[in-house]
Amino acid sequence: MIEVTNLRKTYDDPDGGEIAAVAGASFNCRAGEIYGLLGPNGAGKTTTLRCLATILTPTGGSATIAGCDLLTQSQDVRRNIGFLSASTGLYARLTARETLRFFGALYGLAGRVLEDRVDRVIDMFQIGEYADRTADRLSTGMKQRLGLARAVVHDPPVLILDEPTTGLDPIVSLAVERAVQSLAAAGKCVLFSTHLLDQAQAICHRLGVIGRGRVLAEGTVQELMASTGTENLRGAFFKLVEDAETPEGEHLLSA
Amino acid sequence: MRQAIIKTVFFKELTELLRNRRSLMVMFGVPLLLYPILTIAVASLTQSKQNELASRPAIVGVVDGQAAPQLLKLLAGHESEITTVETIQPAAESALDAGTIDALISVPGHYESDAVGGQEVKLAVSVDRSRQVTRFAEEKLKKVLDAYQQWIVQQRLLAHGLPPDLAAVPRATTTDLATGEQTFGVMLAYILPLLLLLTGMLGSLYPALGATTTERELGTLETLLVTPATRMELLTAKAGIVLISGLLTALLNMISMSLVLWRVMAEVQKSSTGATPAGGFFIDAGALALSYLAAVPTLIFFTAMVLMVGLLARNLREANAYATPLMMVPITSMLVGIADPAMTPGLLVTPVANTTLIIRAVLTGHATAGQFVLAFASAGLYAGLVLSLAGRLFTNEQLVNPAWEPLSLRGLSRRPAKLRWPAVDEALTLFAVSLLLNFYLAPSWVHHGLLPLLMGVEILLIAGPAVLFSWLGHYPWREVFSLRRPSVSSIIGAALFGVGMIPVMNWLSDLQHAWHILPPNEADLEGMSKLFEPTLRGHPFLSPIIIGLLAGVCEELLFRGPIQAALVKRLPIAMALIFGGFLFAAAHMDLSGLPARMILGLILGWIVWRSGSIFPAMVMHAVYDGVSVAWMAHELSRTMDTNATASFSTTTLIMGAAVSVVGWGVMRAGRKILLSQPQSNALRQRATVTPQSPAAP
């Protein structure tokens, strides 16, 4: 569902030269799978996801999402993805139902189909009780659930979630995690970025550890531990990230 | 662009706008409630106070009044509306200071007898103008003093045995030809342009910030950008709601303010003259509608600026900081209103000033259709450019990057890293910059004489901006300016075509004038003759060569350089060449010569497009202008008539047409020769960025 090969994104450095935010990331994510992008702040997670969500244009490399090429079929890519970040992307003066209708209409749904789909996600995420309340009157947890409902209102096969539980309390985080797991169980391909190791271990089927704009290693938690010779995900993560910072690691990355 | 998407986003923005009390207050509350209530309250209070002061008898202190008995008699008269208080000097001034008397008259000893006797004596009147009541007291006192002076003159005449009627002053009557609509229009014209622009900006501010800065701050913009809606669709919907808010707010304010002002003035007139309002001021609804129409492009200009503020600002605080100085810009319209300059073409293409002047002219009934079109079109051009700039900002992928600083000085100093083709908005900006520079700088160079003037204008104000834009924009010089080697025959053909076209275009102009289509302006013709005559008489051979070369090289660099390159890239070729020809003609600011120059511009553009080289067009242009000026110099020396214009016989016309056809044919042959030559590798490589491959003849 998601195939990323040697993806690169560079910016002009105000002081001259270029800054590589993503420096050749490669990974893939299948249908029904939650693929976790795990990395420290500034590792390039958000830039990678923004490239895959077509907000930014990659400088190099290639990617396909649901069979559509990221560069040449960006409109088709957008139709096939649902995107959610830490900011829920909700309009304060629109009700939950209006928000869902609005985004559904932008994805080409109309009439009865749109209404049915809106009702369905309202039931799916249990937001019927406050469906006619404006977003500024919703609690943080309600907002994040509505944000997820908004991201899937058009029933996309791929979900791109950029640290969707940042700033949420453990109870709301758990609710979001369960919702994500149920979406994956329903066959969605979920790309989930996080810097929370416990969360990654709990819900992701496979993980890609990202550092210095590249995927340093990928696999299941056990595979990562085995490849790094560590006893837990925490150890594997720190080893991979620290190795990337050493001159040898830097040399390997730039090779 | 898909209408369904635009409609969806538009109605989402509208729903949010209608649920935002601040926006509604600015859009509807201010014009429909605040204006009428405040204005009527202030006007009523002022009127009531003035009525009270006018009806109250003025209290006038008189010192040594016994020296002017007739004056005391007149002051005491019922019709004087004055109450007299006899007083003495130190106490009188204290009373005036304390406000117990409104005016003080100090009568010198033997004043009346001396004055009647013919001596020059003076009454001293003191008032305190810092008090409101003084104006009314002075008016009443003036009537009495006028009557008293008249009486003194009559006494002098009687003393000399002359009839007192001899003192009657011959009177003049003044008739105001202004209609009620015009009178009201003059008053409205002082405030309407400022009001329209300011309220339009205010009305668009909250919707603009809501549609841009707030979206970015809340993260909703990112969410929108991952939907299948394109950025231009999103911007169209957002700009639509912002523009409608601004236009609607301005319209409501205009209607409200006009009605309130009319009502207040009618009340003032009614109370001051006792006449009914029907005899006074009228609102000319047509003029008001036309004024609003004239303001629409500038309103769009300012609302687009507000939209840009929203796009540039990273948060609402920053947006407010940017918007505050921007709100001051419409005040320039008030300055233009106060200066009340003549409506020159230069001012009619100057942003803000054009709208202010045309609204004033419309409201006072002095606007012509040509002036209206010029002001409207130029304001429309600026509005389009700012909208285009907003589009560039919105489509920049860095829009969602919180660290993006599009306005940084460092960013301004950096040129684009890669070669790029000029865009249409850049071409139109270049055109506007060159035009405005010409309007504002060229007049101050006229006193240097024709040739220095033309050198300055053509090199610095026409070719200069074209070269500067190309350097700043990092355009591929060779392709944008079509700097390709021409064949010898294409140059010869262009020269022949240029010469042959002179009688043909002259005949077309004669035909145009015979049919009274866009007749020439006599004053302009005379001005041109005065400018050309000394130079043509002094240098009859050198002048045509210099003028031809300057016009041919510099004007072609601008109009067939970046301007044509941008148009040809974005528009269908026919439309691009016609529009390019129109811009070329419009830049000469000569309405009568517009059709002929447009045809010439079209032909020159076509030559560059077909040949892929600017040089044949330069040659044709130079020959056409040079020979025309040489002919003018010849006519001048022959007829000694400063208004001499070239006129051609039928034979010359036929010969000209024949030479043009031959020139055209030679040029086409030259094109074939050029195409048959092998291109260098460098040319082939550069041709990859050329927007159009030169078509086969």
Side-chain angles (χ1 to χ4, degrees):
Chain A
M1 282 257 147
I2 300 177
E3 293 283 344
V4 180
T5 311
N6 200 24
L7 192 77
R8 280 183 289 119
K9 178 65 186 174
T10 53
Y11 295 105
D12 286 340
D13 187 343
D15 298 321
E18 286 183 334
I19 299 169
V22 182
S26 301
F27 58 91
N28 64 74
C29 178
R30 297 182 285 268
E33 182 183 44
I34 302 175
Y35 185 94
L37 267 186
L38 193 61
N41 291 334
K45 298 190 299 290
T46 298
T47 307
T48 303
L49 297 192
R50 280 183 172 178
C51 284
L52 295 179
T54 74
I55 298 169
L56 299 176
T57 308
T59 321
S62 64
T64 58
I65 293 179
C68 306
D69 184 78
L70 189 65
L71 286 174
T72 58
Q73 296 169 287
S74 57
Q75 280 292 88
D76 295 324
V77 168
R78 288 178 195 173
R79 279 191 196 93
N80 283 296
I81 59 170
F83 180 82
L84 179 69
S85 64
S87 65
T88 50
L90 300 177
Y91 294 102
R93 293 191 183 88
L94 295 191
T95 65
R97 191 180 294 279
E98 285 169 339
T99 302
L100 295 173
R101 274 195 199 127
F102 170 63
F103 280 97
L106 289 185
Y107 283 97
L109 305 178
R112 195 64 252 162
V113 178
L114 175 63
E115 291 304 320
D116 287 348
R117 189 64 204 160
V118 167
D119 289 340
R120 197 161 162 201
V121 290
I122 283 174
D123 288 343
M124 195 191 297
F125 292 93
Q126 298 167 345
I127 48 181
E129 198 183 320
Y130 47 88
D132 295 312
R133 201 183 288 178
T134 52
D136 57 356
R137 292 173 54 216
L138 300 180
S139 67
T140 310
M142 288 172 178
K143 281 182 186 168
Q144 201 63 1
R145 260 197 274 177
L146 176 59
L148 261 177
R150 194 257 313 140
V152 299
V153 69
H154 56 296
D155 197 17
V158 176
L159 279 173
I160 297 174
L161 309 178
D162 184 12
E163 300 185 2
T165 57
T166 302
L168 300 181
D169 65 43
I171 297 168
V172 180
S173 289
L174 185 65
V176 171
E177 287 168 12
R178 283 182 181 159
V180 171
Q181 283 173 313
S182 67
L183 287 165
K188 308 282 183 204
C189 163
V190 182
L191 183 59
F192 189 102
S193 90
T194 182
H195 56 262
L196 305 176
L197 301 177
D198 292 345
Q199 186 180 53
Q201 187 160 10
I203 68 164
C204 296
H205 299 113
R206 283 195 306 138
L207 291 169
V209 178
I210 193 163
R212 300 177 70 89
R214 291 186 179 209
V215 176
L216 305 171
E218 66 171 339
T220 61
V221 173
Q222 282 70 30
E223 285 167 349
L224 288 176
M225 288 191 296
S227 69
T228 53
T230 52
E231 291 179 351
N232 51 36
L233 179 60
R234 186 183 169 82
F237 175 77
F238 281 115
K239 184 162 192 341
L240 286 166
V241 172
E242 283 166 6
D243 283 354
E245 298 295 327
T246 61
E248 294 80 19
E250 203 168 319
H251 175 71
L252 283 172
L253 285 173
S254 58
Chain B
M1 284 202 279
R2 294 159 295 179
Q3 283 188 3
I5 296 280
I6 295 171
K7 203 172 132 189
T8 302
V9 180
F10 180 86
F11 279 107
K12 188 278 289 180
E13 297 289 345
L14 185 64
T15 307
E16 285 200 295
L17 178 67
L18 294 176
R19 288 178 186 170
N20 182 347
R21 292 198 187 104
R22 280 184 308 179
S23 300
L24 292 182
M25 188 57 208
V26 171
M27 282 176 71
F28 300 108
V30 171
L32 300 182
L33 293 171
L34 201 64
Y35 262 154
I37 292 172
L38 274 183
T39 315
I40 291 175
V42 169
S44 301
L45 202 66
T46 310
Q47 194 57 43
S48 137
K49 181 71 181 169
Q50 290 201 339
N51 288 345
E52 182 200 321
L53 294 174
S55 60
R56 170 180 167 273
I59 303 167
V60 176
V62 182
V63 178
D64 296 334
Q66 68 281 2
Q70 179 62 23
L71 175 62
L72 288 179
K73 195 176 156 190
L74 289 172
L75 285 170
H78 177 67
E79 65 276 15
S80 71
E81 298 177 71
I82 289 173
T83 303
T84 320
V85 179
E86 284 278 348
T87 182
I88 53 169
Q89 196 50 265
E93 280 181 5
S94 305
L96 185 63
D97 196 39
T100 50
I101 60 171
D102 303 327
L104 174 65
I105 303 175
S106 300
V107 184
H110 313 292
Y111 173 81
E112 197 165 290
S113 55
D114 289 350
V116 169
Q119 288 184 38
E120 192 176 332
V121 280
K122 281 183 181 172
L123 273 178
V125 179
S126 306
V127 292
D128 176 2
R129 284 189 180 145
S130 65
R131 294 169 58 220
Q132 250 188 325
V133 71
T134 304
R135 182 164 64 89
F136 299 93
E138 273 191 280
E139 278 174 17
K140 290 167 185 169
L141 192 56
K142 184 176 181 303
K143 283 182 196 166
V144 172
L145 290 176
D146 284 348
Y148 183 52
Q149 282 165 354
Q150 182 83 2
W151 178 83
I152 288 171
V153 173
Q154 284 174 346
Q155 297 311 305
R156 287 177 183 173
L157 291 170
L158 281 171
H160 288 84
L162 295 167
D165 290 350
L166 213 58
V169 180
R171 297 191 187 278
T173 57
T174 305
T175 309
D176 185 5
L177 293 179
T179 61
E181 287 91 339
Q182 283 175 317
T183 311
F184 185 66
V186 170
M187 293 175 194
L188 207 54
Y190 281 108
I191 45 172
L192 192 60
L194 176 65
L195 179 104
L196 279 171
L197 301 181
L198 206 56
T199 56
M201 280 177 83
L202 273 175
S204 63
L205 183 63
Y206 288 123
L209 300 190
T212 51
T213 317
T214 309
E215 288 243 32
R216 200 156 45 170
E217 251 188 310
L218 295 178
T220 48
L221 188 60
E222 199 174 42
T223 319
L224 265 187
L225 295 179
V226 297
T227 67
T230 65
R231 292 199 182 200
M232 282 318 285
E233 286 167 345
L234 294 173
L235 181 67
T236 304
K238 286 173 179 291
I241 199 79
V242 173
L243 294 184
I244 288 174
S245 304
L247 292 173
L248 185 64
T249 309
L251 179 68
L252 286 174
N253 274 283
M254 182 186 77
I255 294 171
S256 169
M257 203 269 296
S258 304
L259 287 172
V260 168
L261 190 63
W262 172 76
R263 170 86 187 146
V264 168
M265 289 181 67
E267 281 297 318
V268 170
Q269 194 192 40
K270 187 179 174 184
S271 60
S272 62
T273 63
T276 59
F281 308 108
F282 298 100
I283 295 176
D284 182 347
L288 217 52
L290 213 55
S291 299
Y292 183 72
L293 179 67
V296 165
T298 304
L299 275 170
I300 295 175
F301 175 85
F302 278 116
T303 47
M305 294 277 268
V306 173
L307 191 66
M308 275 179 54
V309 163
L311 289 169
L312 289 170
R314 283 173 292 190
N315 50 51
L316 281 175
R317 223 171 74 179
E318 206 171 274
N320 281 321
Y322 290 159
T324 307
L326 187 65
M327 291 288 171
M328 303 291 153
V329 178
I331 292 174
T332 50
S333 85
M334 201 167 75
L335 298 179
V336 173
I338 293 167
D340 195 18
M343 277 207 294
T344 58
L347 280 174
L348 284 174
V349 297
T350 304
V352 185
N354 48 10
T355 302
T356 308
L357 288 176
I358 206 67
I359 288 178
R360 284 175 70 87
V362 165
L363 287 173
T364 53
H366 297 117
T368 65
Q371 290 167 338
F372 189 92
V373 170
L374 184 59
F376 190 85
S378 60
L381 171 68
Y382 302 129
L385 290 177
V386 179
L387 274 175
S388 165
L389 206 54
R392 278 172 178 246
L393 284 176
F394 198 77
T395 50
N396 191 309
E397 71 166 12
Q398 291 294 307
L399 189 65
V400 288
N401 179 3
W404 186 39
E405 285 192 45
L407 277 187
S408 70
L409 286 174
R410 201 184 273 169
L412 284 176
S413 64
R414 263 204 319 266
R415 288 198 306 147
K418 293 171 188 161
L419 285 177
R420 45 184 289 277
W421 204 258
V424 173
D425 56 355
E426 290 167 26
L428 292 177
T429 306
L430 170 60
F431 171 76
V433 165
S434 174
L435 202 65
L436 286 172
L437 284 174
N438 266 288
F439 278 125
Y440 286 99
L441 294 182
S444 57
W445 298 344
V446 169
H447 67 274
H448 292 299
L450 178 66
L451 293 182
L453 168 72
L454 282 180
M455 280 183 198
V457 167
E458 296 282 354
I459 295 169
L460 297 178
L461 310 185
I462 293 177
V467 171
L468 186 67
F469 265 61
S470 301
W471 181 77
L472 288 174
H474 211 172
Y475 303 156
W477 293 87
R478 191 170 174 185
E479 285 72 26
V480 164
F481 286 99
S482 302
L483 301 176
R484 294 197 185 88
R485 187 167 57 84
S487 65
V488 176
S489 49
S490 69
I491 293 292
I492 295 169
L496 287 172
F497 191 70
V499 176
M501 282 301 283
I502 295 169
V504 176
M505 296 312 296
N506 190 275
W507 174 72
L508 283 173
S509 294
D510 286 347
L511 213 60
Q512 172 197 332
H513 298 151
W515 289 342
H516 302 290
I517 301 167
L518 303 175
N521 184 322
E522 292 301 325
D524 287 350
L525 284 178
E526 200 171 327
M528 288 296 281
S529 296
K530 278 185 185 165
L531 185 65
F532 272 72
E533 190 201 341
T535 308
L536 293 186
R537 282 193 196 285
H539 310 283
F541 298 106
L542 190 62
S543 303
I545 295 170
I546 293 175
I547 292 170
L549 277 175
L550 282 172
V553 174
C554 299
E555 291 177 22
E556 289 309 303
L557 280 177
L558 174 66
F559 289 100
R560 258 58 68 180
I563 290 180
Q564 176 158 316
L567 295 177
V568 165
K569 171 93 171 171
R570 296 284 174 196
L571 302 176
I573 185 64
M575 201 186 288
L577 295 181
I578 291 170
F579 189 49
F582 170 75
L583 291 180
F584 172 71
H588 288 79
M589 294 306 290
D590 168 23
L591 203 57
S592 175
L594 190 91
R597 287 200 183 91
M598 206 171 147
I599 293 169
L600 280 173
L602 181 61
I603 292 169
L604 290 164
W606 193 85
I607 289 172
V608 175
W609 180 70
R610 286 286 289 192
S611 68
S613 170
I614 199 169
F615 298 110
M618 281 182 174
V619 169
M620 180 196 152
H621 195 151
V623 168
Y624 182 91
D625 278 15
V627 175
S628 297
V629 173
W631 180 262
M632 203 192 296
H634 167 72
E635 287 291 296
L636 199 62
S637 64
R638 196 172 58 86
T639 62
M640 301 304 285
D641 177 6
T642 55
N643 284 323
T645 52
S647 58
F648 298 95
S649 64
T650 311
T651 316
T652 317
L653 173 63
I654 293 166
M655 279 176 65
V659 171
S660 295
V661 171
V662 171
W664 191 255
V666 174
M667 261 198 296
R668 285 176 69 90
R671 176 78 200 120
K672 277 177 189 167
I673 293 162
L674 183 71
L675 273 184
S676 66
Q677 290 169 344
Q679 289 180 323
S680 69
N681 282 339
L683 181 63
R684 271 202 294 273
Q685 278 170 0
R686 282 174 172 272
T688 53
V689 290
T690 311
Q692 80 285 357
S693 56

